[in-house]
Structure formats: C-alpha cells, structure tokens
Amino acid sequence: NPFYVTELIATGGHDVPATVRDAVLARSGRLSGRAQRVLHAASVLGHVPQLSLLRDIAGRDAEAVAECVAGGMLEIEGEVVRFRHDLAQQAIYETLPLNDRTRLHRRALRALTDRGGDPAALARHAVEACDADGVLEFARAAGDRATKLGAHSEAAALYASALQFAQKLEDVER
C-alpha cells in the first residue's frame, strides 16, 4: 500500500506502526491540539469540503489549518480542502469520541443549512447529530430527489434513515 509506506516514512521513528491507522495517528499526534481539532472537523465533513466551511466548523483558526497542511495531513487546492488519502480521513473520524462527533455534525448541519447545502449531505449530518427534525426534513427531500434521478438504492437508504424518527410523523406521512 503506497499510502502506508508514505506514512511509515513520515513517522521518522524506529517503531513500525502495525496499521495504516496507527501510522496516520502517529502523524496527527505530532500536531498541536488546535490542529487536531481542525482534523476532527475535516473528518466529519468528509470528502472535499470548502475551506471556508472547514474554518466555520473548526473555529476560524487559519494557523491550525496551515499546520495540518504543513504536517502532511490535509491538502488545499483553491477553496477545496481534503485529506491526503481517504484512509487518513477514516482513521481520524474513527478515533473521535461519540460526543465530539455528534457536536461536530451539529455544527456542520447548522453551517450547511445556512449555506443552502445539498439535502443528502444535510441528511447525513442530521442523522449523525441525532437531529430528528433535520433527518425528517432533509432525508425525505434528498430521497425524493434521488428517486427523481433514478438513484433508487440511495433513495431507499435516505428514506430508511428518516424511518428511524418516523414516530414523530402521522401514519399517512410514514
């Protein structure tokens, strides 16, 4: 795995991390607490968020974002920011305590709602934030859109996420 080899080299130590996750966490562990908060926010946002959105979620800390880039964790191209590899994003996300994940998903949901974000992204954040009203609104809207586009599997998954909170709906709506 070329990504794993790159991460091994980046650790610079004599101890060889057993997994890609260990290697990613070793690299991120050398960053400041502020930079790690940026990584946490970026991991919740997922694939290719706008830099301005990441700054909104992570507290507008431009120096911490720059530290993440200098530390080889994030890349910025124009107004787009991303992890160097999806495995790095996944490793950081999986280490987040549940309460931190929920809090960051709530922030992302608020920020994306204010920006008129994509209903599918809003639904994902609403589910992870345990926001029943948000899930019912956005998952249904995204499911309707997916249905119109012929993406029936995606629509079914979105409707299924709304059903988690269907007890709030009238029988006809459910």
Side-chain angles (χ1 to χ4, degrees), residues 12 15 31 35-36 43 60 62 65 71 77 87 100 111 115-116 128 139 149 157 173:
D15 296 328
L31 300 175
Q36 288 184 29
S43 76
R60 300 215 156 269
V65 172
E77 186 175 311
L87 292 173
D100 290 345
R115 295 165 183 242
E128 295 298 329
L149 294 173
E173 289 180 286

Side-chain angles (χ1 to χ4, degrees), residues 4 22 27 29 31 41 65 103 105 110 134 137-138 140 149 161:
Y4 180 64
D22 292 340
R27 182 187 285 244
L31 300 175
V65 172
R103 179 180 48 79
H105 279 291
R110 278 193 306 270
E137 177 183 353
F138 301 122
R140 290 167 60 189
L149 294 173
S161 65

Side-chain angles (χ1 to χ4, degrees), residues 1-54:
N1 182 329
F3 178 70
Y4 180 64
V5 172
T6 302
E7 290 303 302
L8 282 174
I9 293 167
T11 61
H14 298 292
D15 296 328
V16 176
T19 65
V20 169
R21 181 180 177 193
D22 292 340
V24 168
L25 296 178
R27 182 187 285 244
S28 70
R30 291 192 298 270
L31 300 175
S32 70
R34 291 172 35 217
Q36 288 184 29
R37 283 191 291 279
V38 168
L39 289 180
H40 295 165
S43 76
V44 165
L45 290 171
H47 304 304
V48 199
Q50 291 181 331
L51 183 57
S52 61
L53 177 61
L54 176 59

Side-chain angles (χ1 to χ4, degrees), residues 82-93:
R82 66 178 148 266
F83 278 86
R84 283 185 39 248
H85 197 283
D86 288 344
L87 292 173
Q89 183 266 335
Q90 184 179 355
I92 298 297
Y93 186 79

Side-chain angles (χ1 to χ4, degrees), residues 49-163:
Q50 291 181 331
L51 183 57
S52 61
L53 177 61
L54 176 59
R55 287 183 177 143
D56 285 350
I57 307 295
R60 300 215 156 269
D61 193 342
E63 289 178 15
V65 172
E67 183 182 346
C68 291
V69 172
M73 293 297 298
L74 297 178
E75 297 175 336
I76 297 176
E77 186 175 311
E79 278 300 307
V80 173
V81 62
R82 66 178 148 266
F83 278 86
R84 283 185 39 248
H85 197 283
D86 288 344
L87 292 173
Q89 183 266 335
Q90 184 179 355
I92 298 297
Y93 186 79
E94 288 174 354
T95 63
L96 279 175
L98 183 58
N99 60 336
D100 290 345
R101 276 189 204 183
T102 303
R103 179 180 48 79
L104 288 167
H105 279 291
R106 269 193 211 114
R107 283 186 188 172
L109 179 60
R110 278 193 306 270
L112 286 170
T113 300
D114 291 345
R115 295 165 183 242
D118 173 59
L122 290 165
R124 181 178 71 83
H125 290 297
V127 166
E128 295 298 329
C130 299
D131 181 330
D133 293 333
V135 171
L136 291 173
E137 177 183 353
F138 301 122
R140 290 167 60 189
D144 292 348
R145 186 171 133 213
T147 298
K148 287 177 186 171
L149 294 173
H152 302 295
S153 295
E154 183 178 343
L158 288 159
Y159 292 139
S161 65
L163 283 175

